[in-house]
Amino acid sequence: MASITFGYILAETLSETNLIKLIGTKTSKIAKLGIHPALTPVPALYLVSPRVAHANASALLKEGLIEPIDLYIAILASNLPLRVMYIYRYYLPVLLPLLGIVTLYFIGLRILFDFLLVFVVLMIGRRRYKGVKLNGENNKIKLNFSRKAFKKGLIKGLKASLNFALSLRLFSSWLSLCLSQVSQIR
């Protein structure tokens, strides 16, 4: 739960300091490939942390700036950067010493599958976002590293984490209730 809370706090802090908008301007050329212009930071954020990327994308969805299909396209297109992150964090240092050549075979198959997935998803995105224009205001982004921005990011992150924990707790209670009912039937 601590890592989830950290992810929410980091996402909200990056948002409040406008670093996500800055990353969005640097990655805005990705929109031409087939990702919604508001979601261009998502593939880059996957290399930082998948939780930050998901929190940013879900915030855009909650604000109504994107539709669910836009989110699906961005997440599926981001599988390749996510796979690269997993390769250098987990596969090479952990699996390669344990399984040897089998790990290299597995990595090759996963990368091939992710390239095919990215190709298909970006073709769908290209057709969907053919006429979408980028905002010109993105060039004038002011970073805000004030104490107020960090405090606001911390509070928003803690609130989002608490909401997640409560929903997770409610789901786990519901699931345990259902499982106890099933076991009583037997």
Side-chain angles (χ1 to χ4, degrees):
M1 193 63 199
S3 66
I4 292 171
T5 302
F6 176 73
Y8 276 115
I9 291 171
L10 182 61
E12 293 297 337
T13 303
L14 289 175
S15 180
E16 290 298 320
T17 59
N18 291 330
L19 279 171
I20 288 182
K21 289 181 182 177
L22 180 67
I23 292 170
T25 60
K26 301 296 181 192
T27 59
S28 63
K29 293 177 182 161
I30 295 175
K32 294 178 185 176
L33 295 175
I35 295 179
H36 191 280
L39 292 170
T40 57
V42 170
L45 289 174
Y46 265 108
L47 295 175
V48 176
S49 168
R51 284 186 195 91
V52 173
H54 285 296
N56 179 1
S58 66
L60 291 172
L61 184 64
K62 285 179 187 174
E63 292 172 8
L65 299 174
I66 59 171
E67 295 176 20
I69 187 72
D70 303 327
L71 183 62
Y72 300 143
I73 289 172
I75 288 173
L76 288 173
S78 300
N79 269 348
L80 189 59
L82 182 63
R83 185 68 52 211
V84 169
M85 189 259 314
Y86 278 126
I87 287 172
Y88 75 79
R89 280 193 184 169
Y90 304 114
Y91 293 169
L92 293 179
V94 176
L95 287 180
L96 190 60
L98 289 174
L99 301 174
I101 194 76
V102 174
T103 302
L104 296 177
Y105 178 70
F106 177 72
I107 290 171
L109 286 176
R110 290 298 308 182
I111 291 290
L112 179 66
F113 174 74
D114 288 333
F115 268 115
L116 291 172
L117 182 65
V118 166
F119 178 75
V120 169
V121 167
L122 291 181
M123 288 300 115
I124 293 169
R126 270 188 156 177
R127 292 187 69 181
R128 181 169 170 78
Y129 309 121
K130 203 171 206 172
V132 176
K133 301 284 183 192
L134 296 174
N135 293 338
E137 67 183 7
N138 287 340
N139 296 331
K140 301 175 186 175
I141 294 176
K142 290 186 177 182
L143 296 178
N144 182 11
F145 291 116
S146 67
R147 172 173 261 165
K148 184 178 179 182
F150 283 109
K151 183 178 178 181
K152 193 173 179 182
L154 177 70
I155 290 170
K156 281 183 165 182
L158 288 173
K159 282 182 182 178
S161 177
L162 182 63
N163 286 340
F164 176 77
L166 289 175
S167 65
L168 185 65
R169 178 70 180 143
L170 289 173
F171 176 73
S172 65
S173 297
W174 174 80
L175 186 62
S176 65
L177 179 68
C178 290
L179 291 176
S180 68
Q181 294 296 325
V182 168
S183 66
Q184 287 178 358
I185 292 173
R186 289 182 177 180

